[in-house]
């Protein structure tokens, strides 16, 4: 288990529990009661720590190295996943995965941004930062879903679209902009879920839909806290302060009506119990699918348009 800095008191207790569990079971002293006592203490401490997280700590959890990624959720939630590759224009982009699948008895098109865990996987997936061909692949799959009247589910988890010279040369901004336009008028239900990081245009490229769901410890922003701090204070070290003023965590975005629903995570974060997190995600998605599929195409697109037009409203107080 990888513990973050603010979880160190919990880590120390868990280390003691692990050490006791490794004690020879033939010992004369019964240590089960002591283990139970420490486990209860650890649970209470975890509840205390996670009841008062700062925005910066939430962002650290969103980036946790053990956090479930798109393919993890696809394995745990969907059946009969058949991955589809390539944008039919330039290449396949491993930073975006997608294909046909079933959630329950409902066939869907699922598309997600995929990071890597090992060094080799991170390089292969480009750290979850898609190239233009990734967004064009995603659009191709969405158009296929529209052709066969399949709902689209997108799993957002990226630090941003890849900003390299080659990506710009192949039309990174155009690819993202086109996805925004096409997703706004797609004639099938679209459910977008932020499962970790939802940063910059890289997230928006598969983030326009009828419903936006966010996991409890995720964030959705136009720029990373480090990037914001570099602009405002000329130092990325001010990222914790930037995170507090940006208002990019799930709870704060819910108050601003940017996000529709927050998916609760297991105590300590989704990485503590991926199965429980997956079950919560599946339940939320199925509930939204039932509601959205009851709408005709015209109503679906009108409601999506109205939802998008309501973003950014403000009041002027004299």
């Amino acid at each position: 288990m990888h513990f973050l800095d603010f979880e160190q008191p919990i880590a120390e207790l868990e280390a003691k529990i692990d050490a006791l569990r490794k004690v020879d079971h033939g010992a004369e002293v019964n240590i089960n009661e002591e283990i139970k006592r420490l486990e209860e203490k650890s649970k209470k401490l975890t509840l205390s720590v996670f009841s008062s997280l700062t925005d910066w700590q939430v962002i650290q959890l969103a980036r946790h190295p053990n956090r479930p990624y798109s393919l993890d959720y696809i394995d745990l939630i969907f059946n009969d996943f058949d991955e589809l590759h390539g944008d039919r224009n330039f290449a396949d982009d491993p930073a975006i995965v997608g294909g046909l699948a079933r959630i329950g008895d409902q066939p869907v098109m699922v598309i997600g941004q995929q990071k890597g865990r090992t060094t080799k996987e991170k390089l292969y997936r480009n750290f979850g930062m898609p190239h233009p061909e990734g967004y064009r692949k995603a659009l191709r799959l969405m158009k296929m879903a529209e052709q066969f009247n399949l709902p689209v589910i997108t799993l957002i988890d990226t630090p941003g679209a890849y900003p390299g010279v080659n990506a710009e040369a192949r039309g990174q901004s155009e690819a993202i902009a086109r996805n925004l336009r096409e997703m706004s008028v797609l004639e099938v239900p679209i459910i977008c879920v932020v499962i970790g990081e939802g940063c910059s245009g890289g997230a928006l490229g598969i983030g326009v839909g009828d419903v936006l769901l966010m996991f409890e410890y995720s964030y959705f922003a136009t720029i990373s806290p480090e990037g914001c701090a570099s602009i405002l204070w000329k130092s990325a070290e001010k990222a914790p302060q930037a995170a507090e003023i940006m208002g990019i965590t799930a709870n704060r975005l819910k108050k601003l009506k940017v996000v529709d629903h927050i998916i609760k995570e297991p105590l300590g974060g989704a990485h503590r119990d991926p199965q429980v997190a997956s079950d919560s995600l599946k339940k939320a998605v199925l509930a939204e699918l039932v509601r959205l599929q009851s709408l005709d195409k015209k109503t679906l697109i009108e409601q999506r348009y109205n939802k998008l037009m309501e973003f950014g409203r403000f009041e002027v107080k004299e």
Side-chain angles (χ1 to χ4, degrees):
M1 181 72 70
H2 176 91
F3 289 94
L4 300 171
D5 290 343
F6 66 88
E7 296 179 289
Q8 285 313 303
I10 303 170
E12 292 172 6
L13 265 180
E14 291 293 331
K16 290 180 181 178
I17 294 170
D18 288 340
L20 284 174
R21 285 175 177 155
K22 293 175 182 176
V23 172
D24 185 3
H25 292 291
E28 294 181 3
V29 180
N30 189 339
I31 60 171
N32 289 333
E33 290 301 321
E34 179 65 12
I35 291 176
K36 289 180 181 179
R37 186 186 71 81
L38 289 176
E39 286 177 338
E40 186 62 28
K41 185 177 180 180
S42 177
K43 183 178 180 179
K44 289 181 179 179
L45 180 59
T46 305
L47 280 168
S48 175
V49 170
F50 278 77
S51 65
S52 57
L53 293 177
T54 66
D55 284 9
W56 178 242
Q57 288 169 341
V58 170
I59 289 166
Q60 288 178 286
L61 284 167
R63 298 170 173 173
H64 198 288
N66 294 338
R67 194 171 179 84
Y69 294 150
S70 292
L71 285 176
D72 297 317
Y73 285 118
I74 289 172
D75 288 341
L76 290 168
I77 296 174
F78 298 90
N79 301 315
D80 304 324
F81 176 60
D82 188 8
E83 185 173 358
L84 302 173
H85 298 272
D87 68 343
R88 302 298 187 266
N89 183 41
F90 179 77
D92 185 46
D93 185 358
I96 286 188
V97 296
L100 298 164
R102 289 181 182 273
I103 181 168
D105 296 326
Q106 172 65 53
V108 297
M109 183 70 75
V110 58
I111 301 166
Q113 290 154 333
Q114 178 66 22
K115 299 177 178 177
R117 299 202 187 277
T118 66
T119 300
K120 185 177 181 180
E121 288 176 350
K122 288 176 181 178
L123 292 172
Y124 176 65
R125 302 288 181 184
N126 199 36
F127 300 87
M129 296 186 292
H131 290 79
E133 51 269 25
Y135 293 106
R136 290 173 180 137
K137 173 171 71 172
L139 181 58
R140 181 176 74 84
L141 299 187
M142 292 177 201
K143 286 294 187 181
M144 181 186 296
E146 184 179 50
Q147 183 179 358
F148 293 101
N149 198 31
L150 299 175
V152 175
I153 299 170
T154 68
L155 305 176
I156 300 168
D157 188 17
T158 180
Y162 184 59
V165 173
N166 290 335
E168 295 298 334
R170 295 197 295 273
Q172 183 72 287
S173 58
E174 184 277 336
I176 293 173
R178 186 178 178 192
N179 277 23
L180 299 181
R181 183 190 67 186
E182 295 296 331
M183 291 183 78
S184 68
V185 294
L186 205 70
E187 295 184 342
V188 291
I190 307 173
I191 299 174
C192 305
V193 188
V194 183
I195 61 174
E197 292 188 274
C199 198
S200 192
L204 285 176
I206 59 169
V208 177
D210 303 291
V211 177
L212 177 63
L213 308 176
M214 286 185 70
F215 267 104
E216 185 178 7
Y217 304 129
S218 64
Y219 77 94
F220 195 47
T222 56
I223 190 173
S224 70
E226 292 89 345
C228 177
S230 296
I231 294 171
L232 294 182
W233 293 290
K234 311 302 181 185
S235 172
E237 293 181 359
K238 296 286 187 178
Q241 290 94 315
E244 296 297 326
I245 66 173
M246 290 172 71
I248 55 178
T249 56
N251 286 330
R252 295 180 68 176
L253 291 173
K254 181 69 165 64
K255 292 177 182 177
L256 294 172
K257 298 183 179 180
V258 173
V259 56
D260 296 293
H261 301 291
I262 297 174
I263 303 172
K264 293 289 290 184
E265 297 190 26
L267 180 61
H271 59 282
R272 293 288 189 97
D273 197 332
Q275 184 61 64
V276 170
S278 298
D279 291 343
S280 298
L281 174 57
K282 183 177 182 179
K283 182 179 179 181
V285 169
L286 285 173
E288 293 299 334
L289 279 176
V290 170
R291 182 181 67 84
L292 293 172
Q293 287 184 303
S294 67
L295 305 175
D296 60 75
K297 293 180 180 181
K298 182 180 179 181
T299 304
L300 183 74
I301 294 176
E302 284 181 353
Q303 288 189 5
R304 188 185 304 156
Y305 175 82
N306 292 332
K307 172 185 169 63
L308 296 173
M309 290 300 102
E310 288 177 358
F311 289 159
R313 289 188 175 183
F314 60 91
E315 294 181 0
V316 179
K317 296 183 178 180
E318 296 182 359

